[in-house]
Every structure is written in structure tokens, then in C-alpha cells.
Amino acid sequence: MAIGISVKELYEIFESTPADQNIMLVGSHGIGKSRIVEDYFTGKGITVTALFLGQMSDPGDLIGLPRLNETTGKTDFMPPYWFPTDGKPIVLFLDELNRARPEMLQTVMDLVLNRKLAGRKLPEGSRIVSAVNDGEEYQVGDLDPALVSRFNIYNLRPTANDWLKWAKSQDLDPRVVSFIQRKPSMLDSRFDPTANALDKTPDRRAWERVAKAIAGQPEITPVLAKMIAGIVGAKAASEFVESLNDGSVTGMDVLKSFDAVLPKLEQFPVENFTLLNDDILEALNSLKGVAQFTEPMQKNISSYFQWLQDAGKREAYAYFINAFLGGSYPKANGYLAKKLPQLILEFSNFIKSTN
């Protein structure tokens, strides 16, 4: 069984893995494997070329079409549409690898082993990353062990927090973001063997579609609720619509009105504080300057941490400290250190008490 990793761990693996070693990502549909790969490498200025092997029926789609070389009198192959001709390294993302036809997989073997197709070599420094769906619910084929052995294999398990950070960076509708923050278990479905093949269940792509579909809609009408059910399924849609009535708690809510949201926090399951703590740090990090970290905000966040300790929520308190020390929110760290130095001292004392 492939070892499970988070998105953050995958990025660290990308950093450490030599370009000539191939990586295979195993995971359910809808978790964003292709987007995660594309976001990372395009952010570094490297072109990502995705090939959906399950949709290819002829090896010519990969290696190009044959032609007669009039100079040599021999047959060679024209470069396929996707092949880089500028000499710059690329990331070749082979999606749906275990849906590919056997004749396509034979062509892939030479590619992953020698970085060549019909004698044409990928630019130096190019990477090959593949993705497969794994599970009884998928109509996929078995991969040749010789092909599998050419890959470093990881079971990609993005956390709800991974998706929430991405969703906020894309300015997805805050109602969807708040719902998933409050009920992270609703982000991804679990395979039900008794379900009909056309029964809709939620996944990360589906919630993104919901967010884009309701953007700009001030309220969720009965018709919009049905539309949402067609995207994520009736159960998830029902819980989402109900959540709009009882509300949720964001990091900015805590900063601006801790007393008002305290009754809701008292009902929070413990796992929700992980997401809320990250959201508090993100809310602080979004402030444009320390002057925006007002005295009421300082009082509210101090009250929040005091409440965590008084309520015996040591795990939530410890998680915030770990996230704070992780370095992902430099502006937030600076604001807290400047305006609430006594809080930083409390963090330090808490760490000492746990060692």
C-alpha cells in the first residue's frame, strides 16, 4: 500500500526528488490531483502538460504521426502537439494512467524509463508525474509491475485545511468555505457500494462548482437548492442550506466579536478548532498593517485563548501555537509579537510545560 501524504508533504517531496525520478499519485477522484500538481509547478515558472491517457485510443496521440524522411528515406515521427520544442523542461502529467489502453501503456514505458518517445528526448530536467484512481468503485485496469516499478508512489490525501486554504486564495463563495470549515467531513464523499452510479456525492471539484454557481446570489432559493443537490447530492445540499440558517464561525468573527460567537464555539466539535485556528491566523495575515490590528481585536483574540485554556481545549490551543511557529503567517506573527508580547510569553510557557 502506498504511503499517505498531505499536500504540504507532497510539495516537500517535489523539492527533494530528482527530476529523473517519476512520481505516481494515488487517490480518489475529485481531490484535485491535477490542480495541486499544476499550481505547484506553474508557480515556479515550469510548464505543466497534462495528458489524459484514458481518453487516448492510439499511440500516435503520444508519439506523433509517421512520415517519410525524404533525406534519409526512412520513417520518422512528427512531434505531437504537446511535445516541447523550445528546449525548456516541462512537467508531463500523465493523468488516468490506469485507464489507458494496453498499447498506450507500452508507449508510456519507454517514456518513463528513457524520457524518450520515438527517439525524441524530453528536454533535460523534465519531470514525469502520473495520477491514478484506486478502489473498487473505479473501472480501471491493472498496471504492469514493470511499469509501476518505475515510479515513486504516494497516496495523496489532501486535508480539508489544504482545500480551505486554496478556496480562500481563489475567493470562492464564503458560504461554501464557512460550511466546509464547520463540517470538513462533508468535503469528500465515501464510496457507498449500494449507491446508484448516478447518485451524486460531494467532492472538492463539486464544492468548487457550487461556490461558483451561487456567487452573487444573495439567497439560496428552492430552485438553487435543487441545483446544488445536482452538484453535490441531496444530503450534502440539505446540510449546506441548513447551515446558512444557523451560521458558522470564521477567524474574522473571533477577531471582531468573540463574545457574540462564543455560544457557537461552545458547540464546536474538537476537529473544527484546527480549521478555525488557521483561519484566525489567515485573518490576521490579511490585515494590511499593524494599525488594523485594533485594540478590540487584541482583546478578542486574548479572550479566545483564555477561553481555550479555561474550557480545557488544550489540543486546540497547542495547534494554534504549532501553526503560529510554523512560519506560514509571517504578518500575523509580527502583529501578535508587537501588540501582544505577553501572549507570546504564554505560548512559550505552554511549550515548556509540555516538554
Side-chain angles (χ1 to χ4, degrees):
M1 180 178 293
I3 187 170
I5 59 172
S6 67
V7 173
K8 181 180 179 181
E9 290 171 327
L10 174 62
Y11 288 169
E12 292 179 6
I13 287 171
F14 281 152
E15 289 287 343
S16 302
T17 303
D20 61 354
Q21 294 186 19
N22 310 309
I23 291 176
M24 179 184 293
L25 303 179
V26 181
S28 302
H29 70 281
I31 63 172
K33 296 185 289 293
S34 57
R35 177 186 56 75
I36 289 167
V37 171
E38 185 168 0
D39 285 353
Y40 177 79
F41 285 107
T42 55
K44 292 183 170 294
I46 303 173
T47 297
V48 177
T49 299
L51 300 178
F52 297 92
L53 297 184
Q55 301 175 15
M56 292 183 173
S57 59
D58 189 283
D61 295 334
L62 267 181
I63 64 176
L65 297 177
R67 66 179 178 184
L68 175 65
N69 187 319
E70 296 182 357
T71 301
T72 64
K74 299 179 179 181
T75 299
D76 59 20
F77 291 83
M78 296 183 290
Y81 71 93
W82 59 267
F83 198 90
T85 56
D86 57 5
K88 296 180 180 179
I90 66 168
V91 173
L92 188 58
F93 183 65
L94 305 177
D95 205 358
E96 303 177 340
L97 184 65
N98 56 343
R99 292 180 185 271
R101 296 169 180 264
E103 58 269 26
M104 299 299 298
L105 293 177
Q106 293 299 320
T107 304
V108 168
M109 182 70 82
D110 188 33
L111 180 62
V112 300
L113 179 60
N114 301 310
R115 292 294 197 277
K116 288 183 178 180
L117 280 176
R120 191 179 295 106
K121 192 172 180 62
L122 288 175
E124 192 70 27
S126 293
R127 290 179 177 269
I128 295 178
V129 180
S130 71
V132 301
N133 294 330
D134 186 39
E136 295 180 359
E137 65 268 37
Y138 301 111
Q139 297 179 356
V140 296
D142 292 331
L143 293 175
D144 189 317
L147 177 61
V148 172
S149 71
R150 309 298 180 188
F151 289 89
N152 305 343
I153 304 177
Y154 306 99
N155 193 329
L156 183 60
R157 299 172 181 168
T159 64
N161 205 36
D162 289 329
W163 187 85
L164 285 167
K165 287 181 178 179
W166 172 82
K168 291 171 184 176
S169 73
Q170 300 298 308
D171 292 326
L172 293 189
D173 191 281
R175 290 169 289 185
V176 171
V177 173
S178 295
F179 173 67
I180 298 302
Q181 181 176 325
R182 190 171 183 185
K183 294 190 175 183
S185 62
M186 296 301 298
L187 180 57
D188 295 303
S189 64
R190 296 295 179 264
F191 174 59
D192 179 2
T194 66
N196 184 285
L198 293 179
D199 286 343
K200 290 295 294 185
T201 53
D203 59 47
R204 295 163 193 241
R205 280 197 301 252
W207 284 116
E208 180 185 356
R209 294 202 299 272
V210 169
K212 291 179 177 179
I214 67 173
Q217 299 285 353
E219 64 176 298
I220 304 302
T221 64
V223 172
L224 284 179
K226 289 185 176 181
M227 177 193 70
I228 294 169
I231 301 174
V232 295
K235 183 178 184 298
S238 176
E239 292 203 28
F240 172 66
V241 174
E242 288 179 11
S243 76
L244 300 180
N245 297 323
D246 60 20
S248 59
V249 180
T250 67
M252 193 58 75
D253 291 336
V254 173
L255 290 176
K256 290 185 174 181
S257 53
F258 171 72
D259 289 339
V261 299
L262 179 56
K264 296 179 182 178
L265 295 179
E266 291 173 337
Q267 304 301 316
F268 258 31
V270 64
E271 63 269 17
N272 283 23
F273 284 99
T274 298
L275 303 171
L276 178 60
N277 284 336
D278 275 309
D279 203 47
I280 290 172
L281 284 166
E282 289 188 10
L284 279 170
N285 215 58
S286 68
L287 301 179
K288 294 182 179 180
V290 71
Q292 291 190 346
F293 187 29
T294 62
E295 289 187 10
M297 286 184 176
Q298 297 166 36
K299 180 181 178 181
N300 283 326
I301 197 170
S302 297
S303 298
Y304 170 69
F305 290 123
Q306 187 61 54
W307 174 77
L308 286 178
Q309 295 182 80
D310 293 344
K313 300 186 184 298
R314 288 175 59 86
E315 289 185 12
Y317 188 75
Y319 179 85
F320 186 95
I321 295 174
N322 287 333
F324 173 82
L325 296 175
S328 298
Y329 309 97
K331 291 170 65 178
N333 291 17
Y335 298 156
L336 290 175
K338 186 170 183 177
K339 291 295 186 178
L340 296 173
Q342 75 279 8
L343 197 61
I344 309 304
L345 180 60
E346 291 175 13
F347 289 170
S348 178
N349 290 336
F350 179 86
I351 294 172
K352 292 178 180 177
S353 70
T354 57
N355 292 334

